[in-house]
Amino acid sequence: MTTATPSNLPPAAEGLPLHCVNHPETETYLRCNRCSQPICLRCAVRTEVGYRCKACVRSQQEIFYNALAADNWIAFGLAALVTLIAWPLVAWLLRISGFLGWILAALVGSGAGASLAQLIRNSVGRHRGRYLRHFTLAGILVGLLLSGLLTGLLFASFLAFFSLGGLFFLILVIVTAYQTLR
């Protein structure tokens, strides 16, 4: 099956349906407004300028992503290192503050996630990547596990630094960092 380009498109007669490029059994009257290939409603993506095929939308989005493969690993390592260092301190502070820890977690959690995201963004040269946030999330989780293991070895209890307030703080950090790196 060959893909149609604007130069070799069959002329559409008035009122006769075309067949979708990706779903040949589906008749359509719709064309991508960039490459002019016939597309069905399952393949069409609505944009500000009209309907486009998924391939054209993806190629347009690739312009905005300029991160290198090393940037993903920098984000992973930095997130793991910051979490490894900061989590025992934050968890200890939240644990000793009792109910005030919940309020502290609510007030500081999102700010900590945004700060982590900005630190990562600055360390990768302000590059944007499609998977940068996923590597950051994995780094946070690895740093959390390593922190739990180290505190477990030092204080003879793996769960000594985990609490519901800490979990609430951690969720706020993860959600904010993930959304900021979008």
Side-chain angles (χ1 to χ4, degrees):
M1 177 174 167
T2 61
T3 58
T5 60
S7 62
N8 67 357
L9 286 174
E14 287 296 320
L16 293 178
L18 302 169
H19 291 279
C20 177
V21 173
N22 300 321
H23 307 101
E25 70 283 351
T26 306
E27 293 182 351
T28 184
Y29 292 97
L30 186 63
R31 287 184 182 264
C32 173
N33 73 345
R34 186 166 195 197
C35 67
S36 298
Q37 291 185 353
I39 53 175
C40 65
L41 288 177
R42 288 183 284 173
C43 300
V45 177
R46 186 172 183 214
T47 65
E48 293 83 12
V49 294
Y51 289 101
R52 289 196 175 166
C53 64
K54 292 179 182 179
C56 289
V57 169
R58 182 118 173 132
S59 68
Q60 184 67 32
Q61 288 175 345
E62 289 297 325
I63 294 170
F64 300 110
Y65 297 120
N66 57 357
L68 306 172
D71 292 341
N72 293 328
W73 293 107
I74 291 171
F76 174 82
L78 190 59
L81 182 67
V82 167
T83 306
L84 178 66
I85 294 169
W87 176 250
L89 300 173
V90 169
W92 176 76
L93 182 65
L94 292 175
R95 193 158 186 94
I96 66 167
S97 58
F99 181 73
L100 186 62
W102 282 86
I103 297 169
L104 190 63
L107 293 175
V108 180
S110 295
S115 298
L116 177 63
Q118 289 305 319
L119 180 67
I120 289 170
R121 184 162 288 162
N122 289 335
S123 68
V124 297
R126 305 203 55 83
H127 292 165
R128 292 185 57 166
R130 189 176 297 276
Y131 303 110
L132 198 63
R133 60 187 175 188
H134 302 260
F135 277 81
T136 300
L137 175 65
I140 290 171
L141 295 177
V142 166
L144 182 68
L145 289 175
L146 289 175
S147 176
L149 289 175
L150 288 177
T151 56
L153 292 175
L154 294 175
F155 299 106
S157 173
F158 178 74
L159 298 175
F161 287 98
F162 289 95
S163 65
L164 289 177
L167 181 64
F168 181 58
F169 176 84
L170 189 64
I171 289 171
L172 288 174
V173 168
I174 288 172
V175 168
T176 305
Y178 189 83
Q179 289 299 322
T180 304
L181 291 172
R182 248 177 89 187

